[in-house]
Amino acid sequence: GDAFVRFGSPLEREIFMSIFYLWIICCDCAKHDEAENVRSFDLDREAWVMLIGFSEDLKNTVDVAKAVSGFGILVDWHEIDNLARVVAKVYLNNEAKIPDSVKVNAGLPQKGRSWTLPVFVLKKKRYL
């Protein structure tokens, strides 16, 4: 069978594995981010993007990261009092294309909403 074990830190995992190493010989243990299906890619570009019409209720790091997750990894976002936009810095891999718009979902159980936000590229930088 399979088991999912969560440790509070990498140190706890290493202590557990070292103490029970002889007992766990029959088990194959893998870190959650190093399973068989893991793939790596180079983040060779960064860009500043502006999302227009971002809901004031969703202006937090988690929701901004979700909004840009389809094309990049959120590095930082500029928290401003402007109600009309969010400006975010994202890392992109070589194959990623920044879309003209992104879909944002929000809501509570049994009632959700979604809308499309236009995306404007403010600045791009390529790493060598």
Side-chain angles (χ1 to χ4, degrees):
D2 293 332
F4 177 75
V5 180
R6 176 173 282 181
F7 297 99
S9 71
L11 178 61
E12 287 181 6
R13 179 190 174 279
E14 293 303 319
I15 291 171
F16 175 83
M17 295 302 290
S18 64
I19 292 173
F20 295 102
Y21 177 73
L22 295 175
W23 181 71
I24 303 180
I25 289 179
C26 65
C27 298
D28 181 25
C29 298
K31 295 179 181 177
H32 76 281
D33 59 347
E34 295 179 8
E36 291 179 21
N37 63 349
V38 70
R39 302 290 182 267
S40 64
F41 53 91
D42 294 325
L43 298 170
D44 61 353
R45 294 182 296 154
E46 71 179 32
W48 282 93
V49 296
M50 181 171 57
L51 309 172
I52 303 293
F54 210 92
S55 173
E56 187 66 23
D57 297 338
L58 301 177
K59 285 188 178 180
N60 59 62
T61 303
V62 172
D63 290 319
V64 174
K66 284 181 191 176
V68 300
S69 67
F71 62 90
I73 297 173
L74 179 69
V75 177
D76 193 17
W77 68 286
H78 186 62
E79 296 185 50
I80 56 176
D81 293 332
N82 188 306
L83 301 178
R85 67 181 179 254
V86 167
V87 176
K89 181 180 181 180
V90 294
Y91 285 152
L92 308 163
N93 71 0
N94 192 28
E95 300 170 6
K97 292 181 177 39
I98 300 172
D100 294 331
S101 62
V102 293
K103 181 181 171 190
V104 176
N105 298 311
L108 298 171
Q110 300 179 355
K111 191 66 173 177
R113 337 175 259 153
S114 68
W115 58 98
T116 304
L117 306 176
V119 177
F120 295 93
V121 180
L122 302 176
K123 182 180 178 182
K124 280 194 234 181
K125 179 181 177 183
R126 185 181 243 349
Y127 299 121
L128 298 175

